Amino acid sequence: DTEMTQSPSTLSASVGDRVTITCRASQSIGLYLNWYQHQPGKAPRLLIHRASTLESGVPSRFSGSGSGTDFTLTISSLQPEDYAIYYCQRCDVYPYTFGQGTKVEMK
Amino acid sequence: EVQLVQSGAEVKKPGESLTISCEGTGYTFGNYYIGWVRQVPGKGLEWMGIVLPGDSEAKYGPSFQGQVTISASKSDGTAYLQWRSLKTSDTAMYYCGRRAFISGAFDLWGPGAMVTVSS
C-alpha cells in the first residue's frame, strides 16, 4: 500500500505567518490528494481535494499544490482559528490512507 | 439539512459485541459511499473502510480486515460499524464520512462516536 508521509510533524507559527506543510506519497497518486483540518472536539473538515481545488466555504488563504508524489498545503497568513492538526489523504485506490498529521501550534 | 448523525458514546467490556451507526439525512443516502475513520486518543486518523449503501461488499484497510464489519442499508439510510469481540485497543473515536462523488474526498463528516473498552 502507498504510504503518506507528512512533514513537519509539528510546526510552531504566529498569527500572520505563512505556513507550509508537505505530504509525500511512496508512489505516484496523480492528483488524488486531499487535505483536512482537524480541531479538538470537532469532526475533520475537508479543505482541499484533487490536490489544489479549494472546498466550498474554505478561506482563500488555504491553497494546495503538487502532483505525483509531492504535495504542499499552504496557509498564506495564519489566523487564530487555523491552529489545528492537518492531514493529507490519498484517494486514488483503496485504502485511502492518511498521513500521520501535522500539528500547527502557537509560537 | 445535509448531515451525518452518529449514535452516542459507548462503554463496553473486552469480548463484548458492539454496533455503532451513522445516519445520513438531507441527501440521497444510497448515492454516496460511506467510510469509517478511527482516531485512537492522542494519535492520528486511520482509514478503516468504506461501503456503498446496498452493496454487500465493503472495502477495508489492512489493519481492519477481519476485525470489524462495515455495512449500510439504503432503506434505513444508515451505515453501521460492527465488532464481534471488542478489545481494549479498540478504544477510540470513530467518525463516519461521506465520500464525494467525483473527488473521492470525505466532504461530509459525522460528529464522531467515542467507544471505550475497559474491564
Side-chain angles (χ1 to χ4, degrees):
Chain A
D1 292 338
T2 301
E3 291 188 2
M4 308 298 294
T5 304
Q6 291 182 230
S7 60
S9 296
T10 305
L11 188 160
S12 299
S14 302
V15 172
D17 284 353
R18 182 181 182 86
V19 167
T20 300
I21 298 168
T22 64
C23 177
R24 175 163 288 176
S26 60
Q27 56 188 287
S28 178
I29 59 171
L31 295 175
Y32 291 97
L33 191 283
N34 310 312
W35 289 100
Y36 300 89
Q37 178 191 66
H38 193 198
Q39 294 178 319
K42 295 186 177 181
R45 175 194 184 192
L46 176 64
L47 299 176
I48 288 169
H49 63 265
R50 288 289 176 96
S52 61
T53 302
L54 202 65
E55 187 70 1
S56 176
V58 174
S60 59
R61 63 180 178 272
F62 291 93
S63 64
S65 64
S67 66
T69 60
D70 295 302
F71 301 88
T72 300
L73 173 69
T74 299
I75 309 172
S76 60
S77 177
L78 192 71
Q79 298 302 300
E81 60 269 29
D82 300 337
Y83 290 106
I85 301 175
Y86 293 85
Y87 295 91
C88 63
Q89 180 203 32
R90 63 177 291 204
C91 62
D92 54 333
V93 295
Y94 299 137
Y96 285 2
T97 310
F98 291 94
Q100 81 278 18
T102 294
K103 182 178 182 180
V104 176
E105 64 178 20
M106 203 173 295
K107 190 172 183 180
Chain B
E1 181 184 358
V2 176
Q3 61 180 345
L4 295 174
V5 179
Q6 293 190 235
S7 50
E10 300 273 1
V11 180
K12 305 293 277 187
K13 296 187 186 309
E16 292 185 332
S17 63
L18 175 65
T19 299
I20 62 174
S21 65
C22 170
E23 181 184 10
T25 64
Y27 72 96
T28 304
F29 184 76
N31 287 355
Y32 293 84
Y33 284 81
I34 294 288
W36 289 92
V37 174
R38 181 175 81 174
Q39 186 176 36
V40 172
K43 302 295 185 182
L45 303 178
E46 299 174 272
W47 191 88
M48 300 179 71
I50 199 165
V51 69
L52 182 65
D55 190 343
S56 59
E57 191 173 344
K59 303 294 186 185
Y60 296 90
S63 298
F64 299 98
Q65 182 79 47
Q67 305 304 307
V68 297
T69 301
I70 292 171
S71 61
S73 167
K74 277 186 184 180
S75 57
D76 296 345
T78 303
Y80 302 95
L81 177 62
Q82 179 183 9
W83 293 261
R84 290 186 181 177
S85 180
L86 286 160
K87 308 179 184 71
T88 56
S89 57
D90 293 318
T91 295
M93 180 70 84
Y94 292 89
Y95 296 98
C96 60
R98 184 183 76 172
R99 178 190 179 277
F101 188 70
I102 294 177
S103 74
F106 284 176
D107 66 346
L108 179 68
W109 291 75
M114 184 67 202
V115 173
T116 302
V117 184
S118 174
S119 54

